[in-house]
């Protein structure tokens, strides 16, 4: 390769190719713009341009803005620069990521198997017949179905737009009720009730000992944060849509709320739920919802949450809300261990269980009874009324 | 200079950096941008600033962040006591203007780490440690310093940097940093070192050990990181443990199980973790590592 043909027939090509690369990264969810393009071009002058590995490392450090970007950068780099098959070193052909830019890779296995199954927009269509022992053969045992009042119908019987909207509104109110808390401590503030003597004396030094600048103390807002983990496995599929709306309501009420879905794997859905474009949001979610059905690995999912997200998502002012029926394929011991790890970091753990609203329900399933010692509350969530009643329960926490 | 030279210079200073970290440092230095380092505790994020200062023969200025850190502790404060004394001493002979001029001169300014760092003649290494512990408001103060290398003091005007410090920020992921701060920094994620790198670190930083024992130690630590632990042992813990093993005069981890089990306090720092690794488990790990 001679020096002249470094970028064949593209005299203005370097800048163009690099800005194309930046656009490619942006399409894949990284925050990069013209500033990064300029940086990347500047960096190219400092390194050996002919060595792709150096360029890779340089671009990576310039453009990645967090651990997540750092992990996915290499694949994106390969996809853009080597997609024409111009492999330099290893023969490994990287996945052509650009064609599936927004589709989360961990859901890919499901597309193969279920592509001809239910339409993604209608997860509730995957009815109880989908290998679900939990709800089978229990018809008529529902406390709530006896009455005609719409709000007291069991959620699995009734999924229309109105219900979804109601669930979202209820969640919104609930999130606000949880969020607004005040600290017990007092902190310095410009206005407030109690004078902050220590600071007044310190500031009076600058005025020769006369207390001219007054500062006060007040109890600052210490909002509680919410982390919601919703089970969307087979046994929960009848409730999944309403719970998704519920979670969306929680997320919409406050900028700090985080939401995750799980069945056999865990998936962070906060960005999808926050998407202001309702259509795109629905599309992104339904792609994820493709994983509905099948088994549940609650312990594994909660463990994955504790590993990957807990350090950032949890603190002592966090309420963790788990929406699940507690039917789990993994060992109860593992579930207890995962909850114990979350327990250490989180302020409160609340388990919303749709089965709990059923008459005669007792948490005898091994998983649920192992989980109980770690919960602050185990509450029913099978009707809208039950969801609405949660507000009072949460106020007590 | 290129990044490989920097890498070998760091290695001489006793810091084994992998290639992508060396590249990040090299670019941060040559483009004059701050570098944000993230990664689990104990992988040597803080250490790299010291090594860099060593390589450059520069002074290291460290700002340890904590909740409630404010501008007067991080940037500057007026030395009120001295100002008061000066007023008393001035008496009535001096014109009021002149006194004022004098009182608000740099002589009466207490330089905290950030101002200190930009007023050095030789560019120092500025380490802003655990930035995610500071409040979000504090990040806003940092933005001006990190992008323009200047500090505004209302009474004095804007103080420009005499020389551009090399800025290294570290974060543990206690909270999310703002996009504004991330955009101004280059970024590198440091994870736990692989086996070869860790052996190299042990050879450079640890006590003199037989290769076999060193391999055992690194093997056990690497295996421990794969276990479900609350606090995984970092590189610093590994070095402590190696020092302890060498101090106890153990030549083979299989020789003295009781002493090895007792020395595990260097690696596992919570009660739950110690319970999770009883003697049998440790023996099994040692057996595998050998």
């Amino acid at each position: 390769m001679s020096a002249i043909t470094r970028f064949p027939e593209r005299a203005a090509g370097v800048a163009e190719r690099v800005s194309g690369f930046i656009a490619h990264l942006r399409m894949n969810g990284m925050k990069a713009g013209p500033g990064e393009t300029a940086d990347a071009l500047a960096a190219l002058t400092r390194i050996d341009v002919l060595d792709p590995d150096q360029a890779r490392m340089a671009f990576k450090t310039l453009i990645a803005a967090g651990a997540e970007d750092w992990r996915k950068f290499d694949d994106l780099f390969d996809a853009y620069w080597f997609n024409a098959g111009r492999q330099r070193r290893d023969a490994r052909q990287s996945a052509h990521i650009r064609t599936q830019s927004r589709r989360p890779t961990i859901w890919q296995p499901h597309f193969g198997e279920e592509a001809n199954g239910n339409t993604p927009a209608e997860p509730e269509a995957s009815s109880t017949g989908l290998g679900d022992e939990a709800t089978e053969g229990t018809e008529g045992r529902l406390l709530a179905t006896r009455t005609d009042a719409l709000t007291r119908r069991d959620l699995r019987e009734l999924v229309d737009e109105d219900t979804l909207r109601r669930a979202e509104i209820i969640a919104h109110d609930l999130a606000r009720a949880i969020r607004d808390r005040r600290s017990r401590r007092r902190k310095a503030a410009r206005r407030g009730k109690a004078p902050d003597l220590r600071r007044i004396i310190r500031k009076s030094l600058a005025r020769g000992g006369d207390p001219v600048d007054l500062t006060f103390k007040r109890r600052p807002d210490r909002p509680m944060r919410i982390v919601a983990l919703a089970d969307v496995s087979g046994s929960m599929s009848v409730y999944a849509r309403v719970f998704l709306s519920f979670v969306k309501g929680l997320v919409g009420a406050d900028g700090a709320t985080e939401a995750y879905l799980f069945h056999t794997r865990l998936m962070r859905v906060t960005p999808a739920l926050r998407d202001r474009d309702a259509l795109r949001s629905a599309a992104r979610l339904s792609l994820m919802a493709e994983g509905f059905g099948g088994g549940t690995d609650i312990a594994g999912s909660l463990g994955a949450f504790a590993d990957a997200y807990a350090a950032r998502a949890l603190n002592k002012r966090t309420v963790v809300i788990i929406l699940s029926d507690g039917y789990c394929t993994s060992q109860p011991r593992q579930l207890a261990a995962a909850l114990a790890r979350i327990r250490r970091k989180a302020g409160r753990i609340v388990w919303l269980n749709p089965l709990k609203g059923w008459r005669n329900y007792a948490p005898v399933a091994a998983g649920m009874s192992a989980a109980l010692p770690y919960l602050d509350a185990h509450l029913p969530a099978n009707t809208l009324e039950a969801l609405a009643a949660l507000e009072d329960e949460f106020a007590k926490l | 200079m290129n990044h490989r030279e920097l890498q070998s210079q760091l290695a001489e200073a006793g810091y084994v950096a992998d290639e992508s970290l060396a590249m990040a440092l090299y670019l941060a230095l040559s483009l004059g941008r701050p570098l944000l380092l993230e990664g689990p505790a104990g992988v040597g994020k803080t250490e790299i600033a010291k090594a860099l200062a060593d390589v450059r023969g520069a002074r290291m200025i460290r700002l340890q962040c904590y909740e409630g850190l404010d501008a007067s502790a991080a940037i500057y404060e007026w030395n009120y006591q001295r100002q008061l004394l000066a007023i008393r001493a001035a008496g009535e002979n001096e014109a009021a203007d002149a006194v004022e001029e004098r009182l608000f001169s740099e002589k009466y300014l207490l330089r905290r780490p950030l101002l200190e760092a930009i007023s050095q003649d030789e560019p120092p290494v500025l380490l802003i440690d655990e930035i995610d512990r500071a409040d979000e408001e504090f990040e806003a103060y940092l933005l001006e310093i990190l992008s323009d290398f200047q500090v505004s003091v209302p009474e004095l005007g804007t103080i420009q940097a005499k020389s551009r410090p090399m800025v290294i920020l570290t974060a543990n992921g206690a909270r999310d940093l703002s996009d504004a701060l991330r955009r101004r920094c280059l970024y590198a994620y440091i994870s736990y070192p692989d086996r070869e790198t860790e052996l190299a670190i042990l050879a450079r930083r640890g006590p003199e050990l037989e290769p076999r024992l060193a391999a055992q130690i690194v093997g056990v630590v690497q295996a421990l990181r794969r276990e479900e632990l609350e606090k995984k042992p970092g590189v610093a813990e590994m070095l402590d443990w190696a020092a302890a093993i060498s101090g106890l005069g153990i030549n083979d981890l299989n020789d003295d199980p009781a002493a090895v089990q007792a020395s595990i306090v260097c690696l596992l720092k919570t009660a739950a973790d110690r319970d999770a690794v009883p003697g049998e488990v440790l023996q099994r790990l040692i057996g595998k590592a050998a």
Side-chain angles (χ1 to χ4, degrees), chain B residues 71-188:
Chain B
S72 66
I75 306 177
Y76 74 93
E77 192 173 22
W78 289 106
N79 192 342
Y80 299 126
Q81 286 89 337
R82 277 192 73 183
Q83 283 177 328
L84 283 175
L85 285 175
I87 293 171
R88 292 270 167 84
E92 318 215 323
N93 306 331
E94 215 172 338
D97 277 357
V99 174
E100 198 184 314
E101 188 79 2
R102 194 154 58 82
L103 284 179
F104 288 103
S105 65
E106 298 210 12
K107 189 177 162 195
Y108 293 91
L109 202 61
L110 286 176
R111 291 164 194 280
R112 304 296 188 204
L114 292 181
L115 183 57
E116 180 84 21
I118 66 164
S119 44
Q120 303 285 319
D121 290 325
E122 291 293 313
V125 173
L126 171 63
L127 171 67
I128 302 176
D129 214 2
E130 302 186 320
I131 172 70
D132 47 351
R133 285 186 187 221
D135 306 310
E136 272 171 61
E137 301 92 68
F138 182 72
E139 274 181 35
Y141 291 124
L142 272 185
L143 294 181
E144 184 188 14
I145 295 175
L146 292 186
S147 55
D148 301 333
F149 295 97
Q150 62 180 33
V151 168
S152 307
V153 181
E155 295 87 349
L156 270 183
T158 307
I159 301 179
Q160 291 285 348
K162 286 185 187 161
S163 62
R164 277 196 160 202
M166 298 166 263
V167 186
I168 292 186
L169 301 99
T170 73
N172 272 333
R175 69 175 169 81
D176 256 329
L177 299 176
S178 71
D179 278 347
L181 183 67
R182 282 181 186 279
R183 281 211 53 223
R184 281 169 176 78
C185 300
L186 304 192
Y187 178 88

Side-chain angles (χ1 to χ4, degrees), chain A residues 31 39 46 61 65 67 312, chain B residues 26 30 33 176 179 182 187:
Chain A
K31 284 183 179 135
D39 285 344
R46 315 277 173 140
T61 188
R312 184 156 300 177
Chain B
Y26 165 67
S30 58
R33 297 265 298 269
D176 256 329
D179 278 347
R182 282 181 186 279
Y187 178 88

